[in-house]
Amino acid sequence: MLLKNSVIVSLAFRSDIDAERLSWLASLAWILFMAPFFIFSAHGGYLGDYFNKRSLALGLRYADLIIAACTAFGFYIGNVPLLLTLVFAKGVTSTLYSPIKYSLVSDLLPRSVHGIGYAAVEAASMAAILFATYLGAILGAQPDRGIIGLVALLMVGVSFFLTIASPGIANAGASRSRLDINPIPPTLRILRLAIQDRRVLASILALSWYWALGAVYLSNVAVLVRYTLLGSEAQIASILLTFTLGAGLGLGGGPWLNRGRIAEYLPGAMAVLIASTGVDLQFSIPSALNRTLLDFFVIALASGIYASHFSSSLYQCINESEKSRIFAANNISSSLFIVLALALSTFLLRLEVPIAACLGLFAATTLPITSLVYAIRKK
């Protein structure tokens, strides 16, 4: 996220990039980062079973150090194709590492606290994503682009040290599972598993839309600020910070709200709030900046609560023996939704649909998606 957002923001204020090309490059950066989650998520699970988890985790951290060093060089020389290639490479290492961190929960913690462990890992992952999103915008706005690579090296170095020092990780060994080099068969098997339970399918569909909606909004912030609001890099950072805070509060407060009878109606209420705020966003851009910031905050807050509900639902309805494969299915589905949503938003902008209308349309689509989710759950 740090690398991807830094690339997008640094491109946003280059004089040789127009609105259409910036929108295309921003979507391309997102697609390059998410594509490995669709292609290699199932394969990552097989690697985690085949190799010693500690060795694999350290190997991926070594790869991240190389990527960070190349990132520093890429920003120093200003080579956009190299930076986009590194975005894809970071997506690959993130994809392969994701199954490890979840499987280590069951390896290192007693069964009685697995739920708490999974929740802690997911909360920490989300906090890291939100922090990297904002930090990437801040660093991308710096005149000295070389600092981005240095910060990336520092963060990867800290992660590498923590991987080595983590208590108990050395005891996490490998199983005797057969390594399937071709990722297509396990991907299809995992997706077939996910659609067998309608509750799992409904939760994955809702969570996939949550990620797709967030990707569309975040990827178009740079285009919105430069060519519609006529703002600066600082304004990009302020919108991203507002969105980050809203999503963080929604995800953090969601478990508290998802209690009792209100939980049943919460997703529908949040979908209505997202859609209505998206409509209001069309009228607040570009004349009312404070209202625009409020709309971004409300959409992020409601989306966080929405995602929290379906994350909890997903945890509650899957079998312990299938958790890693269901998590992989969720990654695959979410990445596919993100790629398709970004492709559609780029297409709409190429048709000269105003960016405010595009954002409002995607927010309003939350209503039919949620209706479909309810229909699948009740079927």
Side-chain angles (χ1 to χ4, degrees), residues 44 46 60 108 119 147-148 165 167 175 181 197 207 209-210 261 277 282 288-289 300 302 333 344 362:
Y46 278 80
L60 291 171
L108 302 177
I147 194 174
I148 301 172
S175 71
I181 299 299
D197 189 322
L207 290 170
W209 178 249
Y210 159 76
R261 297 186 62 184
T277 307
Q282 298 182 63
L289 178 59
S333 176
L344 178 58
F362 273 91

Side-chain angles (χ1 to χ4, degrees), residues 13 220-233 235-236 239 355:
F13 290 88
N220 283 294
V221 167
V223 181
L224 173 68
V225 169
R226 182 177 177 184
Y227 293 102
T228 302
L229 301 180
L230 304 178
S232 64
E233 294 99 324
Q235 199 165 7
I236 294 178
I239 292 178
I355 190 168

Side-chain angles (χ1 to χ4, degrees), residues 68-369:
C70 293
T71 297
F73 177 71
F75 275 108
Y76 178 76
I77 64 175
N79 190 309
V80 175
L82 173 60
L83 291 172
L84 290 174
T85 301
L86 292 171
V87 168
F88 178 81
K90 188 66 191 78
V92 172
T93 60
S94 297
T95 300
L96 298 180
Y97 186 74
S98 182
I100 298 175
K101 66 184 180 184
Y102 283 107
S103 63
L104 283 173
V105 171
S106 57
D107 285 350
L108 302 177
L109 295 178
R111 184 180 180 87
S112 60
V113 293
H114 279 184
I116 297 174
Y118 285 122
V121 170
E122 185 167 353
S125 298
M126 183 55 62
I129 289 172
L130 296 175
F131 173 73
T133 297
Y134 180 64
L135 182 60
I138 294 295
L139 294 177
Q142 298 298 316
D144 181 10
R145 308 299 192 201
I147 194 174
I148 301 172
L150 296 177
V151 171
L153 275 171
L154 176 63
M155 294 178 68
V156 173
V158 171
S159 178
F160 182 79
F161 172 77
L162 292 175
T163 301
I164 295 176
S166 296
I169 193 173
N171 299 322
S175 71
R176 296 282 183 177
S177 298
R178 181 178 63 88
L179 177 62
D180 192 341
I181 299 299
N182 184 356
I184 296 178
T187 298
L188 294 177
R189 286 196 296 270
I190 284 173
L191 291 177
R192 282 196 293 268
L193 175 66
I195 65 175
Q196 289 177 2
D197 189 322
R198 66 182 186 278
R199 298 168 302 169
V200 170
L201 176 60
S203 297
I204 288 178
L205 175 61
L207 290 170
S208 298
W209 178 249
Y210 159 76
W211 284 107
L213 181 64
V216 168
Y217 270 71
L218 292 174
S219 68
N220 283 294
V221 167
V223 181
L224 173 68
V225 169
R226 182 177 177 184
Y227 293 102
T228 302
L229 301 180
L230 304 178
S232 64
E233 294 99 324
Q235 199 165 7
I236 294 178
S238 68
I239 292 178
L240 289 177
L241 176 60
T242 300
F243 198 88
T244 298
L245 288 174
L249 288 173
L251 289 165
W256 180 79
L257 292 172
N258 280 298
R259 297 178 179 179
R261 297 186 62 184
I262 189 176
E264 182 181 352
Y265 306 101
L266 200 59
M270 292 303 102
V272 171
L273 183 58
I274 292 169
S276 58
T277 307
V279 172
D280 183 73
L281 186 65
Q282 298 182 63
F283 298 98
S284 66
I285 297 174
S287 57
L289 178 59
N290 289 336
R291 188 168 147 197
T292 298
L293 287 173
L294 179 61
D295 286 339
F296 266 88
F297 178 82
V298 172
I299 289 173
L301 177 69
S303 297
I305 296 172
Y306 183 89
S308 176
H309 172 88
F310 287 107
S311 291
S312 176
S313 175
L314 186 62
Y315 279 121
Q316 292 171 8
C317 65
I318 59 179
N319 296 324
E320 186 71 29
S321 61
E322 299 173 347
K323 273 187 176 177
S324 60
R325 286 173 290 170
I326 295 300
F327 291 144
N330 188 40
N331 283 344
I332 293 167
S333 176
S334 296
S335 58
L336 179 61
F337 266 65
I338 288 172
V339 169
L340 293 176
L342 290 173
L344 178 58
S345 69
T346 302
F347 176 72
L348 291 175
L349 292 176
R350 277 179 168 268
L351 294 179
E352 298 185 354
V353 175
I355 190 168
C358 181
L359 295 177
L361 175 63
F362 273 91
T365 305
T366 306
L367 282 176
I369 292 289

